[in-house]
Amino acid sequence: MGESQQNIRALFVAAEKQRKGIESLWETNSFAYQENLTAAITTYEDCRRLADQISLFSFNETLEDISSGDLQYLLINYHLAELTQRNNTGDRKKCLQRAREAYERYLSLLDIYEIFLKEDRKLHERYLDSPNTFSTASITDAAARRDTKISRFKEEKELKGKIEYLSQNPTALQNDDSALRDIHLTNIQLCTHQSFQSLESIAQELQILALAPPTPPPGPENNAADDRERNARTVNGYSDRLDAPLSQLLAGGKAGPMLSRDGKPLRPFTLLDSRQRLQQGVFRADHSLPTMTIDEYLEEEKRRGGMIEGGGAQSGMQPEPDEDNYEKADEETLKARDWDEFTEANPRGSGNTLNRG
């Protein structure tokens, strides 16, 4: 048993070293990251199999029966699930299902040893009832969901602060069994807190993947179908495509001579008057140049009646009467006399017979 303990301790230390090395990498889609991730997953798998072989954890034990040094091995399935969830190679749906199974093994082990807190036990029961639609907060009440998210964030922050405080003196942890046990249990609470968040994320991602169409397996039949869809042309030349490919345009007479031997046009073309016009069309500005000046444009607008003159302060000024124009003076006098007669016959307000006021 002592040799087995040393083997699992060495495997766990190697796995932890690999996991911490992965966390320092930023490019998660790089080949080196995925290669190191696969190696760390393999090491944790070896730890889990060895723990099962030596019966490291038993259904007949309680939390007090586990030594302080062996508490860290309760997190083997959690780290395995966390790393498997990061794997982006291969079938994503199978990776998520394997990660969910590892999280379930981890939570079941905590349930056996009764390590759950009150809130975590409720979440575990809720997950067992509906794992495919599991959520850590209410999905109908936005305010309650926001409050739950805030409270869980504060709890996670407090747990991280406690772990950081307890880890400040590693030498004291080796000599103080109660302090070592306390830091391991606190780390288990933090991992449990993050496990439920990961299970919620997995459930949402699996729902999205379930709506995606299945990917057809590669094969010669699929390649032939792609060629038919790409060409989309029958024997008689009919095609459902509105934009024919370039190869078909070239093969259909869109390139080659413009005229046949009989003088019949074979493709559209544009007649140009001279070589000079071709040269002007090439060596010119990228934008349209003006064809007239601003003054010429204004004169043209005035000629077409598109501009109205007048307005401003001068429009209210009356022209001075011409004293020598007697006809105009008599016309103005008759107009004023007619207006006086009208005002005498129609006093102000005489027309307002219904709405007096």
Side-chain angles (χ1 to χ4, degrees):
M1 190 68 175
E3 184 179 356
S4 300
Q5 288 285 353
Q6 293 179 359
N7 291 335
I8 194 172
R9 184 180 294 108
L11 276 176
F12 188 78
V13 170
E16 286 288 286
K17 184 177 180 180
Q18 292 174 346
R19 181 179 63 85
K20 293 177 181 178
I22 292 173
E23 291 178 353
S24 62
L25 300 177
W26 294 97
E27 297 181 0
T28 58
N29 294 326
S30 63
F31 176 77
Y33 180 89
Q34 295 296 329
E35 187 178 14
N36 295 335
L37 182 66
T38 304
I41 291 174
T42 303
T43 308
Y44 275 112
E45 285 282 2
D46 295 339
C47 286
R48 184 179 65 84
R49 284 193 292 267
L50 184 57
D52 294 339
Q53 290 176 3
I54 64 176
S55 300
L56 185 61
F57 302 107
S58 175
F59 294 96
N60 300 324
E61 295 178 346
T62 61
L63 180 60
E64 287 74 14
D65 297 330
I66 303 177
S67 63
S68 300
D70 292 344
L71 286 175
Q72 58 183 343
Y73 303 135
L74 290 171
L75 299 175
I76 293 176
N77 284 309
Y78 168 78
H79 292 312
L80 181 61
E82 182 190 13
L83 296 177
T84 306
Q85 190 178 356
R86 300 183 191 178
N87 192 1
N88 296 327
T89 59
D91 192 349
R92 179 60 179 169
K93 188 174 182 179
K94 291 183 179 179
C95 291
L96 293 176
Q97 290 174 350
R98 289 196 299 267
R100 173 189 277 183
E101 292 173 357
Y103 279 124
E104 290 175 352
R105 290 194 301 267
Y106 167 70
L107 295 177
S108 299
L109 196 59
L110 297 187
D111 190 19
I112 292 172
Y113 285 99
E114 297 181 353
I115 306 178
F116 278 135
L117 298 178
K118 183 178 180 181
E119 295 297 330
D120 293 337
R121 184 174 298 279
K122 291 181 180 179
L123 287 176
H124 188 228
E125 293 175 355
R126 191 190 307 171
Y127 171 77
L128 294 178
D129 292 338
S130 57
N132 295 327
T133 59
F134 172 73
S135 177
T136 56
S138 175
I139 59 175
T140 56
D141 191 353
R145 183 177 181 83
R146 177 179 177 274
D147 295 338
T148 304
K149 292 289 185 181
I150 292 175
S151 62
R152 290 187 63 83
F153 174 77
K154 291 181 179 179
E155 291 174 2
E156 182 176 352
K157 187 176 180 180
E158 291 177 357
L159 290 173
K160 290 181 178 179
K162 184 177 180 180
I163 294 174
E164 184 179 0
Y165 175 76
L166 293 175
S167 303
Q168 290 179 355
N169 192 358
T171 307
L173 294 176
Q174 297 177 0
N175 301 325
D176 191 351
D177 186 74
S178 61
L180 180 62
R181 193 175 190 84
D182 190 11
I183 191 173
H184 283 321
L185 291 176
T186 305
N187 194 20
I188 290 174
Q189 292 180 9
L190 177 61
C191 294
T192 306
H193 189 278
Q194 295 175 346
S195 296
F196 290 115
Q197 294 181 356
S198 299
L199 287 172
E200 180 182 6
S201 177
I202 290 174
Q204 294 175 356
E205 189 172 352
L206 287 176
Q207 290 177 1
I208 296 174
L209 292 176
L211 300 177
T215 304
E221 298 180 355
N222 295 325
N223 294 333
D226 293 339
D227 293 337
R228 290 195 299 269
E229 293 176 358
R230 190 179 299 110
N231 296 328
R233 185 171 292 274
T234 58
V235 179
N236 57 2
Y238 172 76
S239 175
D240 293 331
R241 292 184 55 171
L242 297 179
D243 54 338
L246 181 60
S247 59
Q248 294 184 10
L249 292 176
L250 296 175
K254 299 301 180 180
M258 291 187 295
L259 299 176
S260 64
R261 294 181 179 180
D262 300 333
K264 183 179 179 181
L266 298 179
R267 58 187 176 91
F269 59 90
T270 304
L271 292 176
L272 298 177
D273 52 359
S274 63
R275 184 176 180 181
Q276 185 68 23
R277 185 172 177 181
L278 280 173
Q279 185 177 1
Q280 292 176 357
V282 175
F283 300 100
R284 64 182 180 87
D286 296 337
H287 57 279
S288 299
L289 298 176
T291 57
M292 63 178 67
T293 63
I294 296 177
D295 295 335
E296 292 175 350
Y297 171 73
L298 295 177
E299 291 295 335
E300 180 66 20
E301 286 294 319
K302 288 181 181 179
R303 188 185 64 80
R304 294 189 300 175
M307 296 180 63
I308 301 176
E309 296 181 355
Q314 295 182 356
S315 61
M317 299 176 60
Q318 296 293 334
E320 296 182 359
D322 188 4
E323 297 179 355
D324 297 334
N325 191 352
Y326 297 105
E327 294 181 359
K328 184 66 175 177
D330 293 342
E331 184 180 350
E332 294 292 335
T333 303
L334 291 175
K335 184 178 179 181
R337 190 176 297 170
D338 292 340
W339 177 252
D340 291 340
E341 292 176 357
F342 177 78
T343 54
E344 290 177 359
N346 300 283
R348 183 179 180 85
S350 62
N352 187 9
T353 59
L354 296 178
N355 189 15
R356 297 180 182 275

